């Protein structure tokens, strides 16, 4: 298998809007039309939602905005909706069982919940946790905050190319390693991490792998069974859904976690992981977002079951987004940007279209303000990644500029960004 083939990356050079149903896609997202000429290039901070997600949330609130567990039909329907959403998300992830999907508020609270539980199971002779300096701080600080007898930490550091290389993890792993926490793709630099290879290495020493899939989920197919990780966390609002989060874990791993639960909550996943009531309408929205992705697959001619249609859609998204990356990297290179991480348009297979950059002697905030005034939404700052900023030699105050595209962005928007950028840099 070639490097990063696991993201099912069929990136064919020259693929364009014409082959990807971009008009159909954009028509599914009413916020895009409402926004007029505004260009959404800050999608890593939260993506727009398709009409069917709005409908699902609305429908839930209108038809069954009641608590679960009652005997009347509305309440029974809530139970049914949650069960259906679990099955839908399980299909999206290729989970072995729907009970491995636990719903909640967001990714950070799940990383905190899982890490606190894991800390209680740490034996002094296997008490090392490995974190990276590429991750969002939600998947670093949460682990560093743990206390347990003998607990220590090691750092898997990215290389100068802005990527985490499995070869650098290998010497860190030993029979002392309890867990490795890493991202599937950097929410800042956009660089992919070879999760199946990481899982093989981690399991080779009897440790566990916790994957932050928050930034990866809108960009390419997920397959927790093929990846063979132990835990994985996602956040709905990054993946065309409203705000909510979910944790997936191998059933036996989740069963072994000592979590808080009231006496009346079954000591079984998913219930033992779901503290209190979560936002049912947003869970309905998450399931509808997955259904939207399935409908994209069908629109593009997918036959077969839901999983097959989802893979079809996510592969098409991956290929289309590679073209967006290629075009945007070319624009940035032409304008003399310092691109952090994979900046070569020939290596778009190593990244998603989330790009951090700066211009020599130019305040990132100034560029972002000017873009905002021109109706283009991008972001500047530390990207919630203090360790990464330190590695890049950037201050937490000014940081860098980030733009992040998803599959509803189009080439014309890159051209608009390019024209505005030229104006800003000339003045
Ligand atoms: C890669 C990554 N991990 C974790 C988080 C935190 O997610 P949440 O806001 O759902 O807690 C984010 C949010 O931006 C993220 O991008």
């Amino acid at each position: 298998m070639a490097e990063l083939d696991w993201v099912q990356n069929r990136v064919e050079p020259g693929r364009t809007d014409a082959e990807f149903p971009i008009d159909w896609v954009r028509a599914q997202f009413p916020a895009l039309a409402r926004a007029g000429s505004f260009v959404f290039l800050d999608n890593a901070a939260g993506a727009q939602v398709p009409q069917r997600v709005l409908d699902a949330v609305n429908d839930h609130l209108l038809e069954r905005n009641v608590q679960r567990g009652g005997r009347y039909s509305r309440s029974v329907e809530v139970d049914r909706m949650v069960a259906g959403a679990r099955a839908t998300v399980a299909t999206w992830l290729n989970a072995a069982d729907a009970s491995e999907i636990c719903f909640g508020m967001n990714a950070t609270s799940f990383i905190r919940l899982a890490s606190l539980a894991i800390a209680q199971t740490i034996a002094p002779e296997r008490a090392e946790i490995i974190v990276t300096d590429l991750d969002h701080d939600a998947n670093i600080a949460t682990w560093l905050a743990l206390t347990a007898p003998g607990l220590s930490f090691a750092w898997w550091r990215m290389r100068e190319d802005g990527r985490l290389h499995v070869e650098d993890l290998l010497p860190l792993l030993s029979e002392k390693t309890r867990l490795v926490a890493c991202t599937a793709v950097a929410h800042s630099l956009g660089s992919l991490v070879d999760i199946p290879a990481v899982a093989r290495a981690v399991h080779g020493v009897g440790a566990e792998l916790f994957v932050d899939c928050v930034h990866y989920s809108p960009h390419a197919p997920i397959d927790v069974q093929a990846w063979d990780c132990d835990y994985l966390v996602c956040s709905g609002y990054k993946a065309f859904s409203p705000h909510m989060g979910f944790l997936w874990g191998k059933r036996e791993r989740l069963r072994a976690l000592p979590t808080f639960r009231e006496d009346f909550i079954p000591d079984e996943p998913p219930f033992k992981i779901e503290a209190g009531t979560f936002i049912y309408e947003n869970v309905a929205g998450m399931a509808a977002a997955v259904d939207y992705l399935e409908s994209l697959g069908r629109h593009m001619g997918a036959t077969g079951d839901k999983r097959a249609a989802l893979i079809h859609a996510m592969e098409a998204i991956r290929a289309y987004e590679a073209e967006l990356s290629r075009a945007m990297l070319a624009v940035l290179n032409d304008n003399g940007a310092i691109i952090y991480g994979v900046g070569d348009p020939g290596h778009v297979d190593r990244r998603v279209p989330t790009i951090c950059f700066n211009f020599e002697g130019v305040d990132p905030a100034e560029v972002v303000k000017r873009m905002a005034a021109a109706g283009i939404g991008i972001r500047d700052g530390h990207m919630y990644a203090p360790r990464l900023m330190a590695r890049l030699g950037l201050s937490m105050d000014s940081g860098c500029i980030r733009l992040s595209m998803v599959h509803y962005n189009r080439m014309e928007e890159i051209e608009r960004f390019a024209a505005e950028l030229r104006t800003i840099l000339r003045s």
Side-chain angles (χ1 to χ4, degrees):
M1 188 192 268
E3 191 186 16
L4 293 176
D5 261 3
W6 64 280
V7 288
Q8 303 184 21
N9 173 30
R10 300 200 187 138
V11 180
E12 297 144 27
R15 193 178 177 122
T16 63
D17 281 21
E19 294 157 59
F20 187 74
I22 185 66
D23 291 330
W24 182 90
V25 164
R26 289 181 70 87
Q28 310 305 308
F29 289 83
L32 302 182
R34 275 202 182 208
S37 60
F38 180 80
V39 181
F40 290 90
L41 290 182
D42 189 25
N43 299 289
Q48 301 308 302
V49 302
Q51 180 65 51
R52 64 191 304 155
V53 169
L54 294 170
D55 293 344
V57 173
N58 223 17
D59 181 62
H60 183 89
L61 291 173
L62 287 170
E63 302 295 340
R64 60 196 75 86
N65 188 25
V66 297
Q67 185 54 286
R68 295 157 73 185
R71 296 189 194 281
Y72 51 100
S73 63
R74 281 184 160 69
S75 180
V76 172
E77 278 178 35
V78 180
D79 285 327
R80 200 175 294 139
M81 182 282 291
V82 172
R86 266 192 233 291
T88 296
V89 172
T91 303
W92 185 32
L93 267 53
N94 198 26
D97 195 273
S99 66
E100 296 179 335
I101 307 293
C102 314
F103 291 127
M105 301 304 285
N106 55 45
T108 308
S109 56
F110 268 130
I111 303 173
R112 177 69 174 157
L113 182 150
S115 62
L116 283 173
I118 288 166
Q120 289 179 56
T121 66
I122 285 178
E125 63 279 9
R126 194 184 261 284
E128 188 160 85
I129 291 179
I130 299 177
V131 289
T132 86
D133 58 3
L134 183 62
D135 272 74
H136 191 289
D137 218 40
N139 198 31
I140 303 174
T142 33
W143 300 102
L144 298 181
L146 298 178
T147 52
L151 181 61
S152 64
F153 297 95
W155 288 88
W156 179 15
R157 298 193 191 279
M158 69 165 191
R159 288 194 191 165
E160 292 303 307
D161 63 4
R163 300 169 66 209
L164 289 168
H165 291 253
V166 182
E167 299 87 320
D168 301 335
L169 174 65
L170 297 177
L172 301 174
L173 294 169
S174 73
E175 70 287 350
K176 294 202 176 72
T177 313
R178 173 68 168 81
L179 179 135
V180 173
C182 77
T183 190
V185 68
H187 70 293
S188 47
L189 310 191
S191 20
L192 286 154
V193 182
D194 191 344
I195 294 298
V198 176
R200 280 193 297 278
V202 169
H203 292 153
V205 296
E208 293 175 349
L209 175 60
F210 188 101
V211 175
D212 178 344
C213 204
V214 171
H215 190 61
Y216 178 99
S217 62
H219 296 297
I222 305 172
D223 189 336
V224 289
Q225 294 189 66
W227 297 3
D228 195 26
C229 44
D230 298 281
Y231 312 92
L232 177 143
V233 72
C234 278
S235 207
Y237 69 104
K238 312 288 179 152
F240 319 116
S241 152
H243 287 263
M244 53 79 73
F246 60 86
L247 176 79
W248 165 89
K250 283 181 181 163
R251 193 170 160 74
E252 288 317 306
R253 298 285 189 227
L254 296 181
R255 290 189 80 184
L257 288 185
T259 55
F260 164 77
R261 66 187 171 86
E262 295 107 321
D263 292 345
F264 49 82
I265 302 288
D267 193 13
E268 283 292 324
F271 314 108
K272 61 177 286 192
I273 314 284
E274 293 172 341
T277 305
F278 48 84
I279 309 174
Y280 303 141
E281 61 269 29
N282 290 359
V283 166
M286 181 74 250
V290 177
D291 290 345
Y292 154 73
L293 292 169
E294 178 190 355
S295 74
L296 170 59
R298 303 261 178 239
H299 181 80
M300 296 192 74
T303 52
D305 63 9
K306 192 178 188 80
R307 174 81 189 149
L310 286 167
I311 291 175
H312 196 94
M314 297 315 294
E315 286 186 351
I317 285 174
R318 171 88 182 114
Y320 174 69
E321 288 187 3
E323 281 312 305
L324 296 179
S325 287
R326 212 187 302 275
M328 189 58 98
L329 289 173
V331 166
L332 292 171
N333 282 318
D334 286 352
N335 285 281
I338 305 159
I339 298 171
Y340 304 107
V342 180
D344 181 349
H347 284 152
V348 289
D349 55 325
R350 297 177 180 173
R351 63 149 50 258
V352 298
T354 300
I355 310 175
C356 274
F357 54 96
N358 265 324
F359 296 96
E360 189 71 50
V362 179
D363 179 4
E366 210 39 54
V367 177
V368 172
K369 278 185 213 156
R370 294 277 303 273
M371 286 287 177
I376 298 176
I378 57 173
R379 179 172 293 268
D380 61 290
H382 52 63
M383 307 305 146
Y384 316 100
R387 276 95 186 170
L388 177 67
M389 291 301 116
R391 279 296 308 277
L392 299 175
L394 300 172
S395 89
M396 283 292 282
D397 289 340
S398 55
C400 57
I401 306 167
R402 182 185 70 184
L403 63 81
S404 48
M405 295 178 280
V406 288
H407 70 286
Y408 53 62
N409 287 118
R410 63 189 316 161
M411 290 293 172
E412 288 89 325
E413 294 177 316
I414 297 179
E415 284 155 23
R416 256 199 65 203
F417 170 87
E420 198 54 42
L421 184 63
R422 283 191 289 274
T423 310
I424 294 170
L425 294 176
R426 264 203 307 267
S427 58

